[in-house]
Structure formats: structure tokens, C-alpha cells
Amino acid sequence: MKRKDIVDIKKLIKIKYSDEIWQEVQGHIYSHRGDPITFYPYASQAIKRLAEKGLEIYIVSHRSKYGLKSAEKINILRVSQERIFNWIKDSNCSESIKSVIFCDTYQEKIKTLSFISPSTIVDDLYQVHNDHLQNNAEQKNRTFNILFGNSLPSVHKSNKYMELISCNDWKIILELLIDYYGLR
């Protein structure tokens, strides 16, 4: 299933049914321990190539310990950790990733990003990009932001400290970053 399909399914469920039903579906997704999940095509190749070019790669995620609704007794943090670490091992990315950080809350994720001070952020939540900019406005560090798999909201206004593009293809993200940092 493509990222666009997932985003469309999420929107459809929330519009046709409710956010509460989406939370129920999400609980099943995050707590499922069946077949290994497939990460985005070309993500591991992009991570390896960017690391080879000298970029430090961090994976920063915010995940509640327990799910919502029917998954409220399932430790979805542990499931997420198992999935990501298995993917890193299976895709031979362990030498390419400097650190994997699981934050308990969204605010902790924003603080962690401020501490790391990355030159690029790839995240599927527009609010992460916006909040990171707001928290670091006084530092005037330019961050290249990629909104993964979602369209830019109509309220977004680019400025000289935050360049934001929307993309859902890791092959394109790799090329964008190689060009942006002059790594050819």
C-alpha cells in the first residue's frame, strides 16, 4: 500500500465515520504483531547513501506507551521499537543511523529535535515542522523540511528560516537532499 493510499484511507475514515473510529483502526495497526511491516520503498537506500555522504541520521519518534481504545492494554511502544530495530537490522542500516530516539510525548519530540538541531527534518506531521521552527526562531538556524506524504496546508507560509516541501517518495527525497547539500 502506498503512503498516499494510507493518507487517503485515514481522511476517509475520519470524514465518513469519526476521529474516534480512526483511533480504533490506528490502535489495531500499531498493536499488530503479525507479518513484519514494510517500510517505505527506497528509505533504507536513502538513509545509507545520505550517511555515506556524511549526514548524521537520527530517527526521532513520539509514541505513547499504550494504544487507544481496543489497544489500551497493548504496549505499542514496545511493538514500535521491535519493528524499527528489526527493520534497521534487516535492511543493514545500523551503521548509517546515529541514534533512534523514542519520545513519550509530542512535546518531548519537539524538544529533542531542538537539542539535536538537525539541518533537515523529514516528518509526516506539518505541526512538527511548524513547532520546531517556532521553538528555534531565535537561533536563526535554517532547517530544510520535508513534509512526508501529506499536502502542505493552505495556512503554510514559507520564510527564510524554514523551507518546506511535500514529498512521499524516498528516492526523490534522496535526490533533493544530495542537490540541496551539494553532495554529488
Side-chain angles (χ1 to χ4, degrees):
M1 187 176 283
K2 295 179 183 174
R3 174 70 186 177
K4 184 180 180 328
D5 296 336
I6 295 166
V7 171
D8 289 344
I9 290 168
K10 176 182 175 179
K11 283 180 187 172
L12 181 64
I13 290 171
K14 289 176 101 172
I15 290 168
K16 190 166 182 172
Y17 300 102
S18 68
D19 189 56
E20 190 171 296
I21 298 296
W22 169 246
Q23 289 175 12
E24 185 75 30
V25 170
Q26 209 173 16
H28 288 288
I29 293 168
Y30 288 134
S31 63
H32 179 68
R33 289 184 175 264
D35 295 332
I37 61 167
T38 303
F39 281 82
Y40 301 104
Y42 214 72
S44 62
Q45 294 92 326
I47 287 170
K48 288 182 221 175
R49 288 273 316 278
L50 292 168
E52 286 169 8
K53 298 286 186 179
L55 295 179
E56 291 183 339
I57 309 295
Y58 293 87
I59 297 175
V60 181
S61 177
H62 73 281
R63 179 73 53 230
S64 301
K65 186 170 183 177
Y66 293 97
L68 300 170
K69 308 292 178 192
S70 63
E72 68 185 357
K73 293 185 170 117
I74 297 171
N75 186 334
I76 61 172
L77 175 60
R78 183 172 295 136
V79 174
S80 296
Q81 290 169 330
E82 288 171 6
R83 286 176 176 172
I84 193 69
F85 290 122
N86 286 337
W87 176 78
I88 289 169
K89 180 180 169 259
D90 294 346
S91 62
N92 298 312
C93 283
S94 26
E95 291 182 20
S96 302
I97 297 171
K98 184 166 184 162
S99 183
V100 178
I101 304 162
F102 285 93
C103 302
D104 291 330
T105 66
Y106 174 82
Q107 285 304 329
E108 184 184 346
K109 178 178 181 173
I110 299 302
K111 287 179 183 175
T112 300
L113 289 172
S114 293
F115 177 75
I116 294 170
S117 191
S119 55
T120 299
I121 296 174
V122 179
D123 201 286
D124 65 340
L125 296 176
Y126 172 77
Q127 200 62 39
V128 167
H129 300 284
N130 194 54
D131 288 349
H132 179 70
L133 173 66
Q134 299 304 318
N135 285 355
N136 296 287
E138 70 283 351
Q139 293 180 4
K140 308 296 186 213
N141 291 336
R142 183 180 170 102
T143 303
F144 186 66
N145 291 269
I146 300 172
L147 181 62
F148 188 77
N150 289 311
S151 301
L152 293 176
S154 58
V155 296
H156 173 71
K157 302 229 183 325
S158 289
N159 64 55
K160 65 182 180 178
Y161 301 113
M162 183 170 95
E163 184 173 345
L164 178 63
I165 64 164
S166 176
C167 185
N168 64 356
D169 183 320
W170 274 99
K171 195 169 190 172
I172 294 170
I173 289 171
L174 173 62
E175 292 304 315
L176 285 168
L177 293 175
I178 285 174
D179 288 345
Y180 184 79
Y181 292 110
L183 300 172
R184 293 237 176 253

